[in-house]
Amino acid sequence: MSTPEEDGRTGGPNPPAPRVVRQEPVTTAVVRGQISLPELRGFFDTSFGTLGRVFHDQRITPLGAAFGLYRGSLGDRTDLEVGFVTDHAVRAEDGVVAATLPEGRVARTTHRGAFDGLGASWERLGTWMRDRGLAPGAERWEVYVTRPSPDMDPRDLRTELNWTIAD
């Protein structure tokens, strides 16, 4: 999927330091939408339900955790793809389409904790990139490493943050 390109580690294990990796092409199945921030949770919930039905019907296997890919800046409406890396391409159905994650150099780190802290982690990653002379690209995505559940401690959540580097 990706390979280390630059270590970039400057701190201890909590939280892990950002690093640059090379993202290889991977097949994904996604639901796309233009959404506002208040619509975010509902869009994710609906998308996961639809993806599950289509995966079952088409015998598609997800090869990892769910992700949300944001294109462009976060404004009034955001271009979002919600999906999974898959074992083969999906046949377009019910708004689920085949796609790929952006390939090339990516700045990556891990956010630990509740989703409401993601904004601050994204800001830290952007600052880390700029401090190293890396121009942030227009695409970034979150991989939801820990599947949330109603009875879990939000501090146990892990979300991988990936931000393309404009070359």
Side-chain angles (χ1 to χ4, degrees):
M1 300 247 215
S2 60
T3 57
E5 184 180 280
E6 173 186 315
D7 192 346
R9 293 173 197 264
T10 57
N14 198 7
R19 64 196 182 283
V20 174
V21 299
R22 181 154 301 278
Q23 176 68 41
E24 300 298 328
V26 291
T27 301
T28 65
V30 302
V31 175
R32 292 183 174 135
Q34 289 280 329
I35 62 154
S36 66
L37 197 53
E39 298 169 317
L40 193 64
R41 183 179 181 147
F43 183 77
F44 271 91
D45 290 346
T46 301
S47 297
F48 289 144
T50 303
L51 286 158
R53 284 190 304 278
V54 170
F55 286 5
H56 178 267
D57 293 348
Q58 294 187 25
R59 300 182 189 270
I60 291 175
T61 302
L63 298 179
F67 68 85
L69 170 68
Y70 301 86
R71 297 185 190 277
S73 61
L74 301 177
D76 292 338
R77 307 238 8 119
T78 299
D79 185 5
L80 174 62
E81 293 181 2
V82 173
F84 294 87
V85 173
T86 58
D87 63 339
H88 64 276
V90 67
R91 185 179 66 257
E93 178 181 335
D94 287 340
V96 177
V97 296
T100 59
L101 286 176
E103 65 180 284
R105 292 189 326 140
V106 173
R108 177 174 292 161
T109 194
T110 299
H111 167 77
R112 295 181 179 187
F115 294 137
D116 61 1
L118 283 168
S121 289
W122 277 115
E123 286 179 30
R124 282 191 299 277
L125 182 57
T127 298
W128 181 88
M129 292 172 71
R130 286 184 291 279
D131 287 351
R132 283 152 185 79
L134 303 171
E139 298 168 312
R140 40 190 177 153
W141 68 97
E142 300 167 345
V143 178
Y144 308 106
V145 177
T146 309
R147 185 176 183 173
S149 67
D151 58 341
M152 77 180 302
D153 184 337
R155 294 175 296 187
D156 293 335
L157 289 169
R158 299 293 178 267
T159 306
E160 180 185 89
L161 307 183
N162 297 275
W163 201 330
T164 57
I165 298 170
D167 288 320

